[in-house]
Amino acid sequence: MVAASPGGSVKRLTIQILTGRWFMFFGSLWIMSAAGATYMFSLYSGDIKKTLGYDQTTLNLLSFFKDLGANVGVLAGLINEVTPPWFILIIGAILNFFGYFMIWLAVTKRIPKPQVWHMCLYICVGANSQSFANTGSLVTCVKNFPESRGVVLGILKGYVGLSGAIITQLYHAFYGEDTKSLILMIGWLPAAVSFAFLRTIRNMKVVRQTNELKVFYNFLYISLGLATFLMVAIITDKLSGFTRSEYGGSAAVVIILLLLPILVVVWEEKKLWSDKQVTLNDPAPINIVTEKPNLDPSEVKDDNERSTESVKTASCWTTMFSPPERGDDYTILQALFSVDMLILFLATICGVGGTLTAIDNLGQIGGSLGYPKTSVSTFVSLVSIWNYFGRVVSGVVSEIFLIKYRFPRPLMLTLILLFSCAGHLLIAFNVPGGLYVASVIIGFCFGAQWPLLFAIISEIFGLKYYSTLYNFGSVASPIGSYLLNVRVAGYLYDVEAEKQNSALKIPRIDGRDLTCTGTACFKLSFIIITAVTLFGVLVSMILVIRTRKFYKSDIYKKFREKALATEMEMAAPRSTVEEAKRG
């Protein structure tokens, strides 16, 4: 029998809570809730455009470099292959503060007016911190909870989607309507949160927990409560307007709801602690485990060990065009040169590129269509909240459909792309009040694509090099953004603005921004974006056809077997100690 003083038990329970998988997930929630500052660009882009005298093409170029930094995280993935997660989080925090702090200095004219390439560099560096935060915390969570990856991706990416609305509430409480101070806030806040959880985020041995999915549902319910509150706050603010003190009260409720998941963490770790004490004090379950035959180590060898052996016998350059079966661990080159990755990459360029163009131009779209300036904040918050709903719904629902009905994730991705076309058309034809509805549709579809993309990558290409492949999948976003945002939307906006200025005989003055009004400013752009997205739907259907047999199989079987082997390894030393005591 094992006996312990009450004080010692409380101390060990506290240590278990702080070092357990669930507290690690809680820390990831907080990091993700502050990691979506890139989605708030339309809130402060007007300050950049006015203060620095940019035209729309230049502003969209800046937006492109923001998206480039946020999504080109291959370097973060490669570094994560050889360093612990805390090192990745430190790099991300430093990049975040430096990039946005320099932008704030420029916009507030505390430094001489920087050249355009300086601003592009600053925003690229600041936004690139998001890929380090995602790699350090989100990828680590997927590896620690491999059988619940869809739900994990949905919830964590959902908090990223909510972060825009969360930071907006905090910013109004701290700074009122000073959007320049918002730039400073999104510089220091994410960095502070990352530093707070440096020791918490780490790779852990996977142990199968029978109620794991139900625990995630509890986190999901809390996040739904947070999203609902934010929605109510936004609607109330829109109808009656908040005072500074009311924003303070709203921000306090947001912080409480962000802290609420700690109750789930304590409850679950306490149950695990109790089960562990029963196991240590009752030899019966141990005897059952020790009666199992000893497994040949080769039978339970880790997939990573098998992959290492295969690499020893053949160079990765010679095998890059000979990929393994879907679901096994691909090498980085095998994945990058596979037809499945090419199809997924192309569909993502079409889908994410179009929705991201709409999100980044919300401020200019609203202004050109005659919406009041106060509505821009509403659009951003709507996109943020429905971005959350899209991520949660696609992550959780696709997981349930996959487990129960073998419903393939690529098919759900195809349906999401098709749905996004409705939002693009609402903008193109300026339906009365349609920009509110378009914000909801585009926010939902933009958010829904990410958990599906990352889950598909992990399922088809394996988890061994997931941190690198995860970030490679994100590269599709800036490519789509550059093609559709800079080369299409920005260019056509400036053409229409110059046409209007010529008609009104207003000369173009260097250093002064170009302004366009009317439906024509974005109509052709979003008709083109709709056509490109429909092409993405057709491309995505090819992946559905190619992977239909794979998704009809039990794709999580090997993870269950590995978790069982881990449990047996952990039980073996305990059984040896128990037999020694009895002997």
Side-chain angles (χ1 to χ4, degrees):
M1 300 292 288
V2 177
S5 65
S9 297
V10 171
K11 182 179 179 181
R12 285 195 292 272
L13 174 59
T14 302
I15 292 173
Q16 175 166 322
I17 290 172
L18 295 178
T19 59
R21 283 197 306 168
W22 295 115
F23 189 75
M24 187 275 303
F25 185 74
F26 171 77
S28 296
L29 290 180
W30 268 72
I31 291 174
M32 292 295 99
S33 67
T38 52
Y39 305 132
M40 305 179 70
F41 180 72
S42 58
L43 271 183
Y44 60 85
S45 61
D47 286 320
I48 295 176
K49 186 177 182 181
K50 184 177 180 180
T51 304
L52 302 180
Y54 291 164
D55 58 21
Q56 191 63 31
T57 300
T58 305
L59 189 67
N60 283 10
L61 181 65
L62 205 64
S63 175
F64 161 72
F65 275 94
K66 168 186 69 69
D67 297 331
L68 181 70
N71 294 284
V72 179
V74 175
L75 178 62
L78 291 172
I79 295 174
N80 192 55
E81 301 287 358
V82 294
T83 61
W86 62 262
F87 185 75
I88 300 295
L89 293 176
I90 286 178
I91 295 175
I94 294 172
L95 293 178
N96 185 88
F97 182 78
F98 171 78
Y100 287 109
F101 183 67
M102 292 304 295
I103 295 172
W104 176 74
L105 291 177
V107 172
T108 55
K109 299 183 177 180
R110 285 176 166 81
I111 58 174
K113 180 182 175 180
Q115 297 182 32
V116 173
W117 73 268
H118 288 159
M119 290 296 291
C120 291
L121 176 64
Y122 297 152
I123 201 164
C124 185
V125 168
N128 192 237
S129 66
Q130 181 175 317
S131 65
F132 280 86
N134 283 333
T135 303
S137 59
L138 189 146
V139 171
T140 304
C141 282
V142 170
K143 291 184 175 182
N144 289 342
F145 300 95
E147 289 186 62
S148 303
R149 68 187 71 178
V151 180
V152 169
L153 285 166
I155 295 175
L156 290 178
K157 279 295 184 180
Y159 270 82
V160 176
L162 279 180
S163 65
I166 291 170
I167 296 175
T168 298
Q169 294 296 315
L170 297 176
Y171 135 69
H172 281 305
F174 292 156
Y175 301 114
E177 300 296 329
D178 184 5
T179 51
K180 293 180 181 178
S181 295
L182 171 63
I183 301 173
L184 179 62
M185 183 176 182
I186 60 180
W188 67 260
L189 182 60
V193 173
S194 291
F195 272 109
F197 291 102
L198 282 182
R199 299 296 299 273
T200 302
I201 311 300
R202 66 199 186 284
N203 291 308
M204 305 173 73
K205 185 169 287 189
V206 177
V207 179
R208 184 170 171 76
Q209 190 171 332
T210 55
N211 69 330
E212 185 174 285
L213 200 56
K214 292 182 178 179
V215 180
F216 282 119
Y217 286 158
N218 291 331
F219 287 112
L220 173 62
Y221 300 146
I222 293 173
S223 69
L224 287 172
L226 174 60
T228 302
F229 171 78
L230 288 169
M231 176 68 82
V232 171
I234 290 168
I235 293 173
T236 304
D237 184 29
K238 172 65 180 174
L239 294 176
S240 60
F242 275 179
T243 63
R244 184 78 173 269
S245 59
E246 288 171 335
Y247 273 122
S250 175
V253 175
V254 167
I255 293 173
I256 291 171
L257 289 172
L258 286 172
L259 289 170
L260 202 57
I262 195 66
L263 298 179
V264 178
V265 173
V266 173
W267 178 261
E268 287 304 316
E269 290 295 348
K270 188 175 181 181
K271 286 201 302 184
L272 291 173
W273 169 263
S274 300
D275 293 342
K276 183 178 179 181
Q277 296 306 306
V278 170
T279 302
L280 290 173
N281 288 287
D282 185 1
I286 299 297
N287 290 336
I288 295 173
V289 172
T290 55
E291 287 169 8
K292 290 182 179 289
N294 292 327
L295 295 178
D296 187 341
S298 64
E299 296 179 3
V300 296
K301 186 174 290 185
D302 189 274
D303 289 341
N304 292 341
E305 295 178 9
R306 286 200 293 268
S307 299
T308 302
E309 290 177 0
S310 65
V311 171
K312 291 178 182 177
T313 59
S315 168
C316 61
W317 293 100
T318 61
T319 61
M320 64 182 180
F321 294 112
S322 303
E325 294 292 321
R326 290 188 181 96
D328 291 339
D329 288 324
Y330 282 54
T331 66
I332 295 174
L333 291 178
Q334 284 173 339
L336 297 187
F337 285 96
S338 70
V339 177
D340 290 341
M341 180 65 87
L342 178 62
I343 294 171
L344 189 59
F345 195 75
L346 185 56
T348 305
I349 288 175
C350 298
V352 172
T355 51
L356 194 56
T357 298
I359 292 171
D360 285 344
N361 287 282
L362 274 177
Q364 284 68 43
I365 294 171
S368 65
L369 298 181
Y371 288 85
K373 187 177 180 180
T374 53
S375 294
V376 175
S377 179
T378 303
F379 296 145
V380 172
S381 295
L382 283 173
V383 165
S384 180
I385 289 174
W386 285 95
N387 186 358
Y388 157 80
F389 282 121
R391 292 167 190 248
V392 167
V393 169
S394 68
V396 175
V397 173
S398 68
E399 189 79 14
I400 295 172
F401 278 27
L402 179 64
I403 294 172
K404 289 189 175 182
Y405 310 112
R406 298 288 193 266
F407 189 90
R409 286 195 222 265
L411 180 55
M412 185 165 287
L413 176 62
T414 305
L415 296 175
I416 293 297
L417 293 180
L418 186 61
F419 184 42
S420 68
C421 293
H424 298 320
L425 291 174
L426 284 173
I427 296 174
F429 294 99
N430 190 20
V431 177
L435 194 52
Y436 292 99
V437 180
S439 298
V440 170
I441 294 174
I442 289 171
F444 179 89
C445 293
F446 176 76
Q449 292 174 69
W450 290 113
L452 294 173
L453 170 67
F454 297 139
I456 292 168
I457 289 174
S458 72
E459 288 160 353
I460 294 178
F461 306 111
L463 289 176
K464 183 177 181 182
Y465 297 107
Y466 182 55
S467 59
T468 300
L469 298 179
Y470 163 93
N471 284 294
F472 177 78
S474 302
V475 174
S477 178
I479 294 176
S481 175
Y482 178 76
L483 295 174
L484 297 177
N485 194 2
V486 179
R487 306 307 302 173
V488 176
Y491 172 75
L492 292 177
Y493 179 95
D494 284 342
V495 168
E496 182 62 28
E498 289 180 352
K499 188 186 300 183
Q500 292 180 5
N501 286 351
S502 297
L504 296 172
K505 297 182 179 180
I506 300 175
R508 175 75 169 101
I509 301 174
D510 290 337
R512 182 174 296 179
D513 62 310
L514 277 173
T515 302
C516 177
T517 57
T519 304
C521 301
F522 287 98
K523 183 175 183 178
L524 180 57
S525 300
F526 279 89
I527 290 175
I528 294 172
I529 288 170
T530 302
V532 170
T533 305
L534 288 173
F535 173 72
V537 171
L538 296 178
V539 172
S540 183
M541 278 302 300
I542 298 174
L543 185 64
V544 174
I545 296 170
R546 287 176 58 86
T547 59
R548 65 186 185 280
K549 290 183 180 179
F550 170 70
Y551 278 100
K552 290 296 181 184
S553 64
D554 186 0
I555 64 176
Y556 289 161
K557 181 179 178 181
K558 65 178 182 179
F559 296 103
R560 290 196 296 271
E561 292 174 347
K562 185 188 294 187
L564 178 61
T566 300
E567 290 177 8
M568 293 174 65
E569 290 175 4
M570 294 175 66
R574 291 201 300 265
S575 64
T576 303
V577 172
E578 186 63 37
E579 288 174 1
K581 288 182 179 179
R582 295 172 63 190

Short mmCIF file of all heavy atoms in Angstrom, two decimals, residues 411-439:
data_model
loop_
_atom_site.label_atom_id
_atom_site.label_comp_id
_atom_site.label_asym_id
_atom_site.label_seq_id
_atom_site.Cartn_x
_atom_site.Cartn_y
_atom_site.Cartn_z
N LEU A 411 -13.90 16.06 -49.15
CA LEU A 411 -15.23 16.39 -49.66
C LEU A 411 -15.82 17.57 -48.90
O LEU A 411 -16.47 18.45 -49.49
CB LEU A 411 -16.15 15.18 -49.56
CG LEU A 411 -17.59 15.38 -50.07
CD1 LEU A 411 -17.60 15.87 -51.50
CD2 LEU A 411 -18.39 14.08 -49.94
N MET A 412 -15.58 17.61 -47.58
CA MET A 412 -16.07 18.75 -46.80
C MET A 412 -15.34 20.02 -47.22
O MET A 412 -15.95 21.10 -47.29
CB MET A 412 -15.88 18.49 -45.31
CG MET A 412 -16.46 19.57 -44.42
SD MET A 412 -16.63 19.09 -42.68
CE MET A 412 -18.01 17.95 -42.78
N LEU A 413 -14.06 19.93 -47.54
CA LEU A 413 -13.31 21.09 -48.03
C LEU A 413 -13.91 21.60 -49.33
O LEU A 413 -14.05 22.81 -49.54
CB LEU A 413 -11.84 20.71 -48.23
CG LEU A 413 -10.92 21.78 -48.83
CD1 LEU A 413 -10.84 22.99 -47.89
CD2 LEU A 413 -9.53 21.23 -49.09
N THR A 414 -14.30 20.69 -50.20
CA THR A 414 -14.92 21.07 -51.48
C THR A 414 -16.21 21.84 -51.26
O THR A 414 -16.47 22.86 -51.92
CB THR A 414 -15.19 19.80 -52.32
OG1 THR A 414 -13.98 19.06 -52.47
CG2 THR A 414 -15.73 20.18 -53.69
N LEU A 415 -17.04 21.36 -50.34
CA LEU A 415 -18.31 22.01 -50.06
C LEU A 415 -18.10 23.42 -49.48
O LEU A 415 -18.85 24.35 -49.78
CB LEU A 415 -19.14 21.16 -49.09
CG LEU A 415 -19.56 19.78 -49.62
CD1 LEU A 415 -20.26 18.99 -48.52
CD2 LEU A 415 -20.47 19.91 -50.83
N ILE A 416 -17.08 23.57 -48.65
CA ILE A 416 -16.76 24.88 -48.06
C ILE A 416 -16.36 25.87 -49.15
O ILE A 416 -16.79 27.04 -49.16
CB ILE A 416 -15.64 24.75 -47.01
CG1 ILE A 416 -16.13 23.96 -45.78
CG2 ILE A 416 -15.14 26.12 -46.58
CD1 ILE A 416 -17.26 24.60 -45.02
N LEU A 417 -15.53 25.43 -50.09
CA LEU A 417 -15.12 26.31 -51.19
C LEU A 417 -16.32 26.76 -52.01
O LEU A 417 -16.42 27.93 -52.40
CB LEU A 417 -14.12 25.58 -52.09
CG LEU A 417 -12.75 25.24 -51.50
CD1 LEU A 417 -11.89 24.52 -52.54
CD2 LEU A 417 -12.03 26.50 -51.03
N LEU A 418 -17.24 25.84 -52.25
CA LEU A 418 -18.43 26.17 -53.03
C LEU A 418 -19.29 27.20 -52.30
O LEU A 418 -19.80 28.15 -52.91
CB LEU A 418 -19.24 24.89 -53.30
CG LEU A 418 -20.44 25.03 -54.23
CD1 LEU A 418 -20.01 25.49 -55.62
CD2 LEU A 418 -21.18 23.69 -54.33
N PHE A 419 -19.42 27.06 -50.98
CA PHE A 419 -20.23 27.97 -50.18
C PHE A 419 -19.64 29.38 -50.17
O PHE A 419 -20.36 30.39 -50.16
CB PHE A 419 -20.35 27.43 -48.76
CG PHE A 419 -21.23 28.25 -47.85
CD1 PHE A 419 -22.44 28.78 -48.30
CD2 PHE A 419 -20.86 28.50 -46.54
CE1 PHE A 419 -23.26 29.53 -47.46
CE2 PHE A 419 -21.67 29.25 -45.69
CZ PHE A 419 -22.86 29.77 -46.17
N SER A 420 -18.31 29.48 -50.20
CA SER A 420 -17.67 30.81 -50.14
C SER A 420 -18.00 31.67 -51.36
O SER A 420 -17.94 32.90 -51.28
CB SER A 420 -16.14 30.66 -50.02
OG SER A 420 -15.58 30.11 -51.20
N CYS A 421 -18.35 31.04 -52.47
CA CYS A 421 -18.70 31.81 -53.68
C CYS A 421 -19.89 32.75 -53.43
O CYS A 421 -19.96 33.83 -54.02
CB CYS A 421 -19.02 30.87 -54.83
SG CYS A 421 -17.60 29.91 -55.41
N ALA A 422 -20.81 32.35 -52.54
CA ALA A 422 -21.97 33.19 -52.24
C ALA A 422 -21.53 34.52 -51.63
O ALA A 422 -22.06 35.59 -51.96
CB ALA A 422 -22.91 32.46 -51.30
N GLY A 423 -20.55 34.47 -50.73
CA GLY A 423 -20.04 35.71 -50.11
C GLY A 423 -19.37 36.62 -51.13
O GLY A 423 -19.56 37.84 -51.10
N HIS A 424 -18.59 36.03 -52.03
CA HIS A 424 -17.93 36.84 -53.05
C HIS A 424 -18.94 37.55 -53.96
O HIS A 424 -18.77 38.72 -54.33
CB HIS A 424 -17.01 35.97 -53.90
CG HIS A 424 -15.91 35.31 -53.12
ND1 HIS A 424 -15.22 35.95 -52.12
CD2 HIS A 424 -15.37 34.06 -53.19
CE1 HIS A 424 -14.31 35.15 -51.61
NE2 HIS A 424 -14.37 33.99 -52.25
N LEU A 425 -20.00 36.85 -54.32
CA LEU A 425 -21.01 37.43 -55.21
C LEU A 425 -21.80 38.55 -54.52
O LEU A 425 -22.20 39.52 -55.15
CB LEU A 425 -21.95 36.34 -55.71
CG LEU A 425 -21.31 35.33 -56.68
CD1 LEU A 425 -22.29 34.21 -57.00
CD2 LEU A 425 -20.86 36.02 -57.96
N LEU A 426 -22.02 38.42 -53.20
CA LEU A 426 -22.71 39.48 -52.46
C LEU A 426 -21.91 40.78 -52.51
O LEU A 426 -22.48 41.88 -52.61
CB LEU A 426 -22.92 39.05 -51.01
CG LEU A 426 -24.04 38.03 -50.74
CD1 LEU A 426 -24.00 37.57 -49.29
CD2 LEU A 426 -25.39 38.63 -51.07
N ILE A 427 -20.58 40.67 -52.43
CA ILE A 427 -19.73 41.86 -52.52
C ILE A 427 -19.72 42.40 -53.95
O ILE A 427 -19.84 43.62 -54.17
CB ILE A 427 -18.30 41.53 -52.07
CG1 ILE A 427 -18.28 41.14 -50.58
CG2 ILE A 427 -17.36 42.72 -52.31
CD1 ILE A 427 -16.93 40.67 -50.09
N ALA A 428 -19.61 41.50 -54.93
CA ALA A 428 -19.49 41.93 -56.32
C ALA A 428 -20.70 42.74 -56.78
O ALA A 428 -20.55 43.74 -57.50
CB ALA A 428 -19.31 40.70 -57.22
N PHE A 429 -21.90 42.34 -56.33
CA PHE A 429 -23.12 42.99 -56.82
C PHE A 429 -23.75 43.93 -55.80
O PHE A 429 -24.88 44.39 -55.98
CB PHE A 429 -24.11 41.93 -57.28
CG PHE A 429 -23.63 41.16 -58.49
CD1 PHE A 429 -23.05 39.92 -58.36
CD2 PHE A 429 -23.70 41.73 -59.75
CE1 PHE A 429 -22.58 39.22 -59.46
CE2 PHE A 429 -23.24 41.04 -60.87
CZ PHE A 429 -22.67 39.78 -60.73
N ASN A 430 -23.03 44.19 -54.67
CA ASN A 430 -23.46 45.20 -53.69
C ASN A 430 -24.93 45.05 -53.31
O ASN A 430 -25.73 46.00 -53.41
CB ASN A 430 -23.20 46.62 -54.23
CG ASN A 430 -23.39 47.69 -53.16
OD1 ASN A 430 -23.36 47.41 -51.96
ND2 ASN A 430 -23.59 48.92 -53.60
N VAL A 431 -25.30 43.87 -52.86
CA VAL A 431 -26.65 43.64 -52.36
C VAL A 431 -26.85 44.50 -51.11
O VAL A 431 -25.96 44.57 -50.25
CB VAL A 431 -26.86 42.15 -52.03
CG1 VAL A 431 -28.24 41.92 -51.43
CG2 VAL A 431 -26.65 41.31 -53.27
N PRO A 432 -27.97 45.23 -50.98
CA PRO A 432 -28.18 46.09 -49.80
C PRO A 432 -27.99 45.32 -48.49
O PRO A 432 -28.63 44.29 -48.25
CB PRO A 432 -29.64 46.54 -49.96
CG PRO A 432 -29.88 46.49 -51.44
CD PRO A 432 -29.10 45.32 -51.94
N GLY A 433 -27.10 45.83 -47.63
CA GLY A 433 -26.80 45.15 -46.37
C GLY A 433 -26.03 43.86 -46.56
O GLY A 433 -25.77 43.14 -45.59
N GLY A 434 -25.65 43.58 -47.80
CA GLY A 434 -25.02 42.29 -48.10
C GLY A 434 -23.64 42.12 -47.52
O GLY A 434 -23.17 41.00 -47.34
N LEU A 435 -22.95 43.24 -47.22
CA LEU A 435 -21.60 43.12 -46.70
C LEU A 435 -21.58 42.49 -45.30
O LEU A 435 -20.61 41.82 -44.93
CB LEU A 435 -20.91 44.49 -46.68
CG LEU A 435 -19.39 44.49 -46.47
CD1 LEU A 435 -18.70 43.55 -47.46
CD2 LEU A 435 -18.83 45.89 -46.61
N TYR A 436 -22.67 42.70 -44.54
CA TYR A 436 -22.77 42.04 -43.22
C TYR A 436 -22.87 40.53 -43.41
O TYR A 436 -22.18 39.75 -42.74
CB TYR A 436 -23.99 42.56 -42.45
CG TYR A 436 -23.87 44.00 -42.01
CD1 TYR A 436 -24.48 45.03 -42.73
CD2 TYR A 436 -23.14 44.33 -40.87
CE1 TYR A 436 -24.37 46.35 -42.33
CE2 TYR A 436 -23.02 45.66 -40.46
CZ TYR A 436 -23.64 46.66 -41.20
OH TYR A 436 -23.52 47.97 -40.79
N VAL A 437 -23.72 40.11 -44.34
CA VAL A 437 -23.89 38.67 -44.61
C VAL A 437 -22.62 38.10 -45.22
O VAL A 437 -22.19 36.99 -44.87
CB VAL A 437 -25.09 38.43 -45.54
CG1 VAL A 437 -25.27 36.94 -45.82
CG2 VAL A 437 -26.36 39.01 -44.95
N ALA A 438 -22.01 38.86 -46.13
CA ALA A 438 -20.77 38.41 -46.76
C ALA A 438 -19.67 38.23 -45.72
O ALA A 438 -18.87 37.29 -45.81
CB ALA A 438 -20.33 39.40 -47.82
N SER A 439 -19.61 39.12 -44.72
CA SER A 439 -18.61 38.99 -43.65
C SER A 439 -18.78 37.68 -42.90
O SER A 439 -17.80 37.02 -42.54
CB SER A 439 -18.72 40.17 -42.67
OG SER A 439 -18.46 41.40 -43.31
#
